[in-house]
Amino acid sequence: MKVRHVFLVGAKSLGAYGGYETFINKLTEYHQHDTRLQYHVACKANGDGCMDETKLENVSRTVKDGKGNTVEFTYHNARCFKIRIPEKLGPAQAIYYDVKALSECCRYIEKNRLQRPVIYIMACRIGPFIKHYYKKIHRLGGKIYLNPDGHEWMRAKWSAPIRKYWKLSEQKMVKWSDLQICDSVNIEKYIHESYDGKGIRGKSPKTTFIAYGAETRRSKLTDDDAKLTAWMESKALKPQEYYLVVGRFVPENNYETMIREFMKSGSKKDFAIITNVNDKFLDELEAKLHFRTDPRIKFVGTVYDQELLMKIRENAYAYFHGHEVGGTNPSLLEALGSTELNLLLNVGFNREVAEDAALYWNKEPGNLAALIDRADGIGEDARAALGRKAKQRIREAYSWEYICGRYAEEFLK
């Protein structure tokens, strides 16, 4: 069989905390020796969240421009190409980036005369432009697949006009694509409820469900590994004496609720927050909560070493998950695969994933604080039982091996 070329558009960089970044990292890792697939990954060359390939291991075949800037590199046997964006575009930056990446995909396909390529677009940002690219890619013999993400138009960070744009963009993206790959059963249901009969010539969208994945193995680091002990000491944390959260620092992940409720609780443990801090949002939270007066609340920076991050999860007493918007979230899967006790925001996406392997909270004042106090008193056997259930759930439905295998099936059809 000829090689199937798959272009991945929508992630900013590899190695960051975003869901798409995690997904592409794992997809290319698991398929790096599969000679049937050749991946081409768009990355941001500059601006917010841009790609820094020096943070990755095993990067090869770096191509530089006349100014010495890296424009292309190989990672996990995937060809990664950088897209430079104009400064000061604001929210339009993401739209420009995706359009420019699609344009580059078309140029490369045409130049190299690739047969039956697949362009997999993650998120619904470029609806007003998608019809043009749909027709162009079809003329080149290719297909457009779409991950419709999880209600981008609902995210708290967007103003009302931008939310209206995202909703309109979603409608057009769903219409002008060949397959929707939904990472949540709830998202797949939403796509059909919203867009059946509204596609090209009145067709309904074609969908399939493929979740994100996670590991269930233990970290390769030992309890006395120098890298681990140095990190723990530098953050003044002790094993099993901290609650943990890992994720993007954005309002819809409910950091405000988690911090406020932890401050209300009587817990003697710490609350470690691993995130890429947004200073504006951090200052807003401080003005509301005055969390800096509580020594238990610890913003501990970012951790890009995956083995270290896995060990930090294993050493946590419990994990918080406050994501409210989106489909199956990678940080939730990783927590279920590593941490015994998981306290999740009670929304459909999270219940769909964890089922009865976690405890749930809502945003009512005092609800999470009460759950934290209860969690502090949970016995070792009960915690271990929840941990076993969580790992079994991941093994059955969310292992990376299974998820990447499903993607290979779809891309090779």
Side-chain angles (χ1 to χ4, degrees), residues 20 121-127 146-149 152 165-166 169-171 173-174:
Y20 292 137
I121 304 173
M122 288 158 271
C124 298
R125 288 182 281 258
I126 53 171
L146 174 71
N147 184 306
D149 200 12
E152 183 71 31
Y165 170 84
W166 286 135
S169 184
E170 178 185 271
Q171 292 168 0
M173 294 286 288
V174 171

Side-chain angles (χ1 to χ4, degrees), residues 46-257:
N46 61 313
D48 178 48
C50 65
M51 180 75 238
D52 181 1
E53 66 281 356
T54 63
K55 289 184 177 178
L56 298 175
E57 293 181 6
N58 302 318
V59 167
S60 63
R61 291 199 287 273
T62 301
V63 179
K64 296 186 181 292
D65 63 13
K67 297 178 181 178
N69 299 311
T70 300
V71 293
E72 195 175 297
F73 62 93
T74 300
Y75 173 66
H76 286 161
N77 211 29
R79 171 184 158 264
C80 304
F81 59 98
K82 287 186 163 186
I83 301 295
R84 186 159 290 277
I85 56 173
E87 302 292 342
K88 298 179 182 176
L89 274 179
Q93 197 179 88
I95 298 166
Y96 179 94
Y97 169 58
D98 282 3
V99 170
K100 192 80 189 294
L102 260 187
S103 180
E104 172 57 25
C105 292
C106 291
R107 186 200 67 77
Y108 189 90
I109 290 165
E110 203 162 9
K111 179 185 174 185
N112 293 280
R113 298 181 180 180
L114 303 183
Q115 301 296 306
R116 297 168 64 206
V118 170
I119 291 82
Y120 185 29
I121 304 173
M122 288 158 271
C124 298
R125 288 182 281 258
I126 53 171
F129 310 93
I130 194 63
K131 181 178 178 180
H132 165 76
Y133 284 101
Y134 175 89
K135 292 189 170 183
K136 185 168 186 177
I137 287 162
H138 273 241
R139 281 197 301 272
L140 293 169
K143 299 274 189 184
I144 289 183
Y145 291 1
L146 174 71
N147 184 306
D149 200 12
H151 309 327
E152 183 71 31
W153 50 273
M154 287 175 63
R155 294 190 188 275
K157 64 180 176 179
W158 302 126
S159 63
I162 293 174
R163 287 188 200 183
K164 190 174 180 181
Y165 170 84
W166 286 135
K167 183 63 177 169
L168 177 67
S169 184
E170 178 185 271
Q171 292 168 0
K172 292 179 180 295
M173 294 286 288
V174 171
K175 179 175 180 176
W176 296 100
S177 55
D178 299 291
L179 176 68
Q180 327 292 314
I181 300 181
C182 305
D183 57 61
S184 157
V185 172
N186 279 274
I187 290 290
E188 186 174 27
K189 183 181 174 188
Y190 160 78
I191 292 295
H192 285 293
E193 286 174 348
S194 303
Y195 301 117
D196 273 3
K198 297 177 182 177
I200 301 167
R201 292 186 291 277
K203 289 183 179 178
S204 296
K206 184 182 175 186
T207 66
T208 190
F209 163 62
I210 310 178
Y212 284 121
E215 308 275 10
T216 54
R217 66 174 177 83
R218 303 285 290 178
S219 169
K220 294 171 185 173
L221 300 187
T222 58
D223 290 338
D224 59 354
D225 188 283
K227 189 189 294 183
L228 172 70
T229 54
W231 188 88
M232 297 284 282
E233 285 170 13
S234 71
K235 309 304 178 186
L237 296 172
K238 294 178 181 176
Q240 304 305 316
E241 289 297 323
Y242 60 92
Y243 286 74
L244 177 69
V245 68
V246 181
R248 287 187 305 146
F249 196 53
V250 290
E252 62 268 17
N253 290 351
N254 285 297
Y255 284 93
E256 182 179 338
T257 300

Side-chain angles (χ1 to χ4, degrees), residues 336 340-342 344 350-360 374 382-383 385-394 396:
L336 291 170
E340 288 190 333
L341 182 57
N342 290 278
L344 318 182
N350 298 338
R351 275 203 175 270
E352 174 191 318
V353 173
E355 295 182 341
D356 63 347
L359 304 180
Y360 294 89
R374 182 181 145 210
R383 279 180 68 227
L386 281 168
R388 285 192 296 272
K389 271 188 184 179
K391 287 169 184 59
Q392 184 61 24
R393 180 74 182 127
I394 297 299
E396 286 175 355

Side-chain angles (χ1 to χ4, degrees), residues 256-301:
E256 182 179 338
T257 300
M258 291 185 289
I259 294 170
R260 178 187 286 117
E261 294 293 307
F262 197 90
M263 292 174 72
K264 280 184 190 175
S265 79
S267 181
K268 299 289 190 291
K269 301 184 192 302
D270 291 317
F271 179 14
I273 301 166
I274 295 180
T275 187
N276 51 327
V277 169
N278 172 327
D279 287 333
K280 181 174 178 289
F281 184 36
L282 192 71
D283 291 342
E284 286 173 9
L285 284 189
E286 172 60 19
K288 287 180 182 176
L289 307 176
H290 307 295
F291 64 82
R292 290 190 176 107
T293 62
D294 190 330
R296 298 173 301 169
I297 310 298
K298 296 180 176 179
F299 282 84
V300 295

